[in-house]
Amino acid sequence: MKTLIVSDPSVPTLRQVPDSALLTGGRPLFLQEGCTGARLVVMPAVRICRLGLSIGRRFARRYYDAATLVALNAPSDSLCDADLVADNALITGTWLPLPDTSGPWKITAPDGSEHTFDIAGAFDTAIESISRRTTFKTGDIVALRCFSCVFDAMQESRPQWSLNGTDVLSFKIK
């Protein structure tokens, strides 16, 4: 299983995140010693549900079946584009049935702010572009960095995000 963070869906500009970076199962995010807060980049993501290579855009929707939010613990925004993503730095939310991919997706942050993104075809375009270079396998994750929001969280807090009104991402920061 691989996680791909896509910067621009139409151009296959992406970062592959190692499996060791995934933090799942509701485990807490542990900050490095001396850190009192985290900068979290929250992005919409989809889960790949079938094997595929060289997928045409019009067929891409057949290759993903669920959506969530993922949070990348990034000390600075530039870390999202760096070569190294630390262990346990990418937190995945609860997988939900796929929302409408032709309309806007609304992310509600812990501070109550709302971010609305017009996802229309972005995942389809990204999957088409990426599948020209790599084979998708069941369980792979594709996250769109271009539709992200940044949130600063403090140690000993439990931030929570929702996608289209449903809570999907919540974890303790220690």
Side-chain angles (χ1 to χ4, degrees), residues 30-106:
F30 287 95
L31 299 179
Q32 293 177 354
E33 190 173 326
C35 290
T36 59
R39 173 157 281 211
L40 302 167
V41 179
V42 179
M43 303 165 262
V46 293
R47 179 180 62 202
I48 300 298
C49 62
R50 60 194 291 191
L51 187 67
L53 178 67
S54 297
I55 302 163
R57 188 178 191 287
R58 70 181 224 194
F59 300 111
R61 173 59 190 90
R62 298 178 186 177
Y63 287 83
Y64 55 97
D65 66 349
T68 193
L69 297 174
V70 297
L72 178 65
N73 180 16
S76 70
D77 255 357
S78 63
L79 181 62
C80 290
D81 300 319
D83 288 328
L84 179 64
V85 176
D87 286 351
N88 298 321
L90 184 70
I91 302 102
T92 58
T94 304
W95 292 101
L96 299 174
L98 197 63
D100 180 14
T101 55
S102 63
W105 288 17
K106 184 172 72 171

Side-chain angles (χ1 to χ4, degrees), residues 4-156:
L4 301 166
I5 298 176
V6 180
S7 297
D8 181 353
S10 59
V11 180
T13 305
L14 56 98
R15 180 73 46 219
Q16 185 167 342
V17 179
D19 288 344
S20 62
L22 282 176
L23 183 64
T24 59
R27 288 185 261 151
L29 171 64
F30 287 95
L31 299 179
Q32 293 177 354
E33 190 173 326
C35 290
T36 59
R39 173 157 281 211
L40 302 167
V41 179
V42 179
M43 303 165 262
V46 293
R47 179 180 62 202
I48 300 298
C49 62
R50 60 194 291 191
L51 187 67
L53 178 67
S54 297
I55 302 163
R57 188 178 191 287
R58 70 181 224 194
F59 300 111
R61 173 59 190 90
R62 298 178 186 177
Y63 287 83
Y64 55 97
D65 66 349
T68 193
L69 297 174
V70 297
L72 178 65
N73 180 16
S76 70
D77 255 357
S78 63
L79 181 62
C80 290
D81 300 319
D83 288 328
L84 179 64
V85 176
D87 286 351
N88 298 321
L90 184 70
I91 302 102
T92 58
T94 304
W95 292 101
L96 299 174
L98 197 63
D100 180 14
T101 55
S102 63
W105 288 17
K106 184 172 72 171
I107 298 173
T108 306
D111 61 4
S113 62
E114 294 182 350
H115 308 270
T116 303
F117 300 109
D118 188 9
I119 300 290
F123 282 112
D124 294 346
T125 302
I127 287 171
E128 177 188 36
S129 297
I130 296 166
S131 72
R132 291 181 190 149
R133 300 188 320 183
T134 189
T135 300
F136 281 113
K137 295 183 178 143
T138 302
D140 287 351
I141 299 170
V142 176
L144 297 178
R145 171 72 173 100
C146 53
F147 296 107
S148 65
C149 50
V150 178
F151 182 79
D152 292 320
M154 298 305 297
Q155 192 171 22
E156 299 304 325

